[in-house]
Amino acid sequence: GEDVEQSLFLSVREGDSSVINCTYTDSSSTYLYWYKQEPGAGLQLLTYIFSNMDMKQDQRLTVLLNKKDKHLSLRIADTQTGDSAIYFCAVYNNNDMRFGAGTRLTVKP
Amino acid sequence: EAGVTQFPSHSVIEKGQTVTLRCDPISGHDNLYWYRRVMGKEIKFLLHFVKESKQDESGMPNNRFLAERTGGTYSTLKVQPAELEDSGVYFCASSHSSSYNEQFFGPGTRLTVL
C-alpha cells in the first residue's frame, strides 16, 4: 500500500463533528501534520503533533495519534461551511515528507 | 510578509513542448521543496534545495525534469519535453532552517499537457 493513506471523501452537516483518519507505514516518523487546502490556494498547515505525543488540542481541532497502530486522526468540532476543503495528512522523518492523497471534506448547511 | 509564490498559476501545453515553472520562496528561507500531485493522488516529493544546492532529488521522475536555484533565491522547474503523464499540480514549499521543518506552501501551478 501507499506510505500514507486517507479516505478520499467525507461529508458532514454543519455543527456536527468531523473526523478525518490517516494511516501511515513509517514508524520512525517524528512529526505528523495536517494541512488544509482551500480551492485555488496552497496548503495551509493546520496543526502538527510530535511522535511522542498522544493528543493535541487547538481550539476546535483535536489530533489523536496511535503510534502502535500508526493511525492519526483530526477531529473538527462544530464543523462550519468554511471548513470545506481538502485535508492532507503528512508524516515527516529525517527531511523526508510523505503526504496522503487528501480527504475532501464537504460541509452541508 | 509575502508567502511562497508560484508562476504561472495554470499552464496548458502540448506534448513535446517545454514548460518552466517558477517558485519564489519566503525571503530568508534556505530550504525549498518541489512536490507534485497527479490526478488527485497523493502529493509526492520531487526535490529539496538547501540554498542553491540540491540536497535530495530522489523524487525527480526522470531526466526530462530539471530544477535549478541559482543564487539560492527563486527556483525554476523545467519539463522538457513534456509528456501527458506530467499533468498535475506542482507545489513549491519553503522552510527556515530548523529541526521543526514547518513548510510553507505556495498555491501551486496546474500543468495540463495535451
Side-chain angles (χ1 to χ4, degrees), chain A residues 29-49:
Chain A
S29 299
T30 51
Y31 299 91
L32 300 101
Y33 304 86
W34 283 103
Y35 282 87
K36 176 184 180 183
Q37 185 189 21
E38 296 182 76
L43 277 69
Q44 171 199 354
L45 179 64
L46 270 184
T47 186
Y48 67 95
I49 190 168

Side-chain angles (χ1 to χ4, degrees), chain B residues 34-112:
Chain B
W34 283 99
Y35 295 88
R36 177 172 75 168
R37 187 178 189 223
V38 173
M39 287 292 290
K41 295 187 177 179
E42 68 273 16
I43 298 170
K44 288 207 166 182
F45 167 81
L46 295 178
L47 89 158
H48 169 208
F49 283 99
V50 177
K51 296 185 181 177
E52 68 274 11
S53 300
K54 292 176 186 174
Q55 178 80 6
D56 180 357
E57 53 183 329
S58 60
M60 294 288 263
N62 50 60
N63 59 10
R64 295 185 293 102
F65 288 75
L66 175 64
E68 294 181 319
R69 193 183 182 195
T70 307
T73 55
Y74 71 90
S75 173
T76 57
L77 179 65
K78 181 161 73 173
V79 185
Q80 178 183 31
E83 298 289 343
L84 300 179
E85 64 265 25
D86 300 332
S87 296
V89 181
Y90 290 76
F91 291 102
C92 175
S94 71
S95 72
H96 200 273
S97 295
S98 72
S99 59
Y100 164 47
N101 193 52
E102 178 177 354
Q103 297 186 18
F104 295 85
F105 281 77
T109 293
R110 181 174 294 277
L111 174 64
T112 303

Side-chain angles (χ1 to χ4, degrees), chain A residues 15-21 34 47 56-64 72-79:
Chain A
D16 288 349
S17 290
S18 307
V19 180
I20 303 172
N21 294 301
W34 283 103
T47 186
K56 180 178 180 180
Q57 188 155 3
D58 183 3
Q59 299 182 334
R60 292 191 297 121
L61 305 178
T62 302
V63 179
L64 295 178
L72 182 74
S73 69
L74 173 69
R75 179 176 180 269
I76 305 172
D78 187 24
T79 314

